[in-house]
């Protein structure tokens, strides 16, 4: 199978596994751990989606793009628009959140670093 197809397949599996992990954390934990694990997993999911869309992108580009999107969504919460959309839609609440929380920025970075590490390791191993 050509490399982009393999990367897309692995990214799709990673996205599903990340959503399952997020649901598992929400079901099995609460408080700060669940919140910040969810923040990190949000960025891991974005990494998987970026890799799915751009399978030839380098791991650092994938992680950087996902981190930038995560941060942009978090800072957008300062405008109140995500809160308004979240009040109208459960999907918007999951994707956009509603309230700015500065510690989320750190946990998005943790998620991007973890995803980068796995992606870079897999890329090196394949070579």
């Amino acid at each position: 199978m050509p490399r982009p197809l393999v990367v897309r397949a692995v990214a799709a599996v990673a996205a599903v596994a990340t959503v399952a992990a997020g649901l598992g954390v929400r079901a099995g934990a609460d408080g700060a751990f669940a919140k910040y694990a969810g923040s990190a997993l949000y960025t891991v999911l974005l990494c998987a989606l970026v890799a799915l869309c751009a399978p030839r992108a380098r791991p650092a580009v994938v992680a950087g793009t996902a981190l930038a999107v995560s941060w942009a969504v978090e800072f957008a919460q300062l405008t109140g628009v995500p809160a308004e959309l979240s009040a109208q839609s459960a999907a918007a609440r999951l994707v956009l959140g509603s309230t700015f929380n500065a510690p989320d920025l750190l946990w998005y970075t943790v998620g991007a670093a973890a995803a980068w590490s796995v992606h870079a390791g897999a890329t090196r191993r394949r070579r």
Side-chain angles (χ1 to χ4, degrees):
M1 215 179 334
R3 183 182 182 279
L5 292 177
V6 172
V7 172
R8 281 193 169 115
V10 170
V13 169
V16 170
T18 302
V19 169
L23 293 172
V25 166
R26 282 290 207 205
D30 59 359
F33 176 79
K35 179 176 181 9
Y36 296 125
S39 295
L41 287 169
Y42 178 84
T43 303
V44 171
L45 175 60
L46 287 176
C47 285
L49 296 175
V50 170
L52 186 67
C53 294
R56 294 185 191 274
R58 293 181 177 186
V61 172
V62 169
T65 300
L67 181 60
V69 170
S70 297
W71 279 42
V73 168
E74 191 68 29
F75 281 113
Q77 292 170 356
L78 292 170
T79 68
V81 172
E84 188 175 313
L85 294 171
S86 293
Q88 299 172 13
S89 165
R93 188 170 40 258
L94 290 171
V95 174
L96 301 175
S98 61
T99 307
F100 179 79
N101 184 30
D104 283 345
L105 300 171
L106 168 68
W107 293 103
Y108 295 145
T109 305
V110 169
W116 169 82
S117 177
V118 170
H119 190 175
T123 300
R124 270 188 238 109
R125 178 182 277 189
R126 197 170 38 248
R127 288 182 186 153

